Amino acid sequence: MGILSGSMNLFRVYFNDPFSFNTLQLSDILEQYSFNALYSDEKNINYGFVPFEYPEKESFQDSSLLYGEHILFGMRYDEKKINAKFFNLEFVALKKKFMEENRKEFLSKMDVEFIKNTLTNRLTKSAVPNSTIVEILLVPENKEAFISVQTTKIFEALSHLFKSAFDISIYQETFVELAKRVLNNPSKMDRVLQL
């Protein structure tokens, strides 16, 4: 994992809602919204919380959440993807087979959609998911968290998990908020924005 190897970029996210959970409550909540508790083989995208030290572990009960005064855990994000070239080859073969079996010279739009959906479902079930582990460093007293991966999909999944598990909405800092914080003089920034 990135933090353990000694080098990584962290992205800051914020929340305005109060975070007042003790370690036992936090462990129970993370367990309830863990990857294994939320996993479904039928879904193309699965995500949930995982222990920081051992993301393959199923339980938070045996895992430590506190590292010094920091709370560390992770999120696993699995997405099943189908290679586009492979899909196209299989689609052509399935179209040909469908036309032969149904004695058709042309396919209607409905036939094409049916074939695409059938093929997508078949290939997705057998697809091996790509896994991403996101490390999360939670700093409740500052109402912020640091995450190791910052993509739109990851942020949406993390936002959903935080809202579901902790009833907390997380957000990213805007450029104006960043400038105000960095300049440490909000009134100057407000005057610049009024121009």
Side-chain angles (χ1 to χ4, degrees):
M1 296 177 71
I3 290 176
L4 294 178
S5 70
S7 66
M8 114 184 294
N9 291 325
L10 293 174
F11 303 92
R12 185 189 323 227
V13 295
Y14 296 91
F15 51 91
N16 287 327
D17 307 302
F19 189 93
S20 56
F21 301 99
N22 65 38
T23 308
L24 185 59
Q25 291 171 322
L26 183 59
S27 182
D28 288 342
I29 291 169
L30 292 173
E31 185 77 34
Q32 183 181 354
Y33 291 91
S34 69
F35 180 83
N36 290 333
L38 300 176
Y39 179 82
S40 170
D41 200 35
E42 300 299 316
K43 295 190 290 186
N44 292 339
I45 296 175
N46 283 288
Y47 52 85
F49 294 122
V50 293
F52 172 72
E53 286 181 323
Y54 305 103
E56 72 281 354
K57 274 179 105 174
E58 295 184 18
S59 175
F60 278 90
Q61 303 305 326
D62 302 328
S63 300
S64 178
L65 294 173
L66 293 176
Y67 294 86
E69 51 193 58
H70 302 295
I71 300 169
L72 286 168
F73 54 96
M75 180 187 79
R76 179 175 167 186
Y77 182 92
D78 281 10
E79 183 175 13
K80 294 179 181 179
K81 292 184 178 180
I82 304 165
N83 181 297
K85 289 181 182 179
F86 179 70
F87 182 87
N88 290 338
L89 290 172
E90 290 291 315
F91 180 65
V92 169
L94 196 56
K95 250 187 355 184
K96 184 177 178 182
K97 181 179 175 185
F98 185 85
M99 289 171 70
E100 288 173 0
E101 287 176 356
N102 294 297
R103 294 185 177 96
K104 291 187 170 189
E105 290 185 29
F106 301 100
L107 294 175
S108 67
K109 285 185 179 181
M110 198 165 76
D111 290 336
V112 171
E113 284 303 311
F114 173 77
I115 295 168
K116 279 185 179 177
N117 289 336
T118 302
L119 183 60
T120 301
N121 290 338
R122 189 180 82 209
L123 293 177
T124 302
K125 285 182 183 178
S126 62
V128 176
N130 295 328
S131 292
T132 303
I133 302 293
V134 180
E135 291 94 353
I136 303 166
L137 170 64
L138 190 62
V139 187
E141 60 273 7
N142 295 345
K143 294 186 176 182
E144 62 187 5
F146 296 89
I147 59 176
S148 62
V149 178
Q150 178 73 357
T151 65
T152 303
K153 290 179 184 180
I154 295 293
F155 185 77
E156 287 174 359
L158 197 57
S159 295
H160 178 252
L161 280 175
F162 266 74
K163 189 64 177 171
S164 299
F166 307 118
D167 198 26
I168 288 176
S169 298
I170 62 173
Y171 64 94
Q172 298 169 320
E173 196 171 43
T174 65
F175 177 74
V176 172
E177 292 168 328
L178 174 66
K180 283 181 179 180
R181 185 173 52 79
V182 171
L183 293 174
N184 205 15
N185 195 341
S187 61
K188 284 183 182 177
M189 193 64 192
D190 288 337
R191 275 187 252 134
V192 168
L193 292 174
Q194 289 176 355
L195 298 177

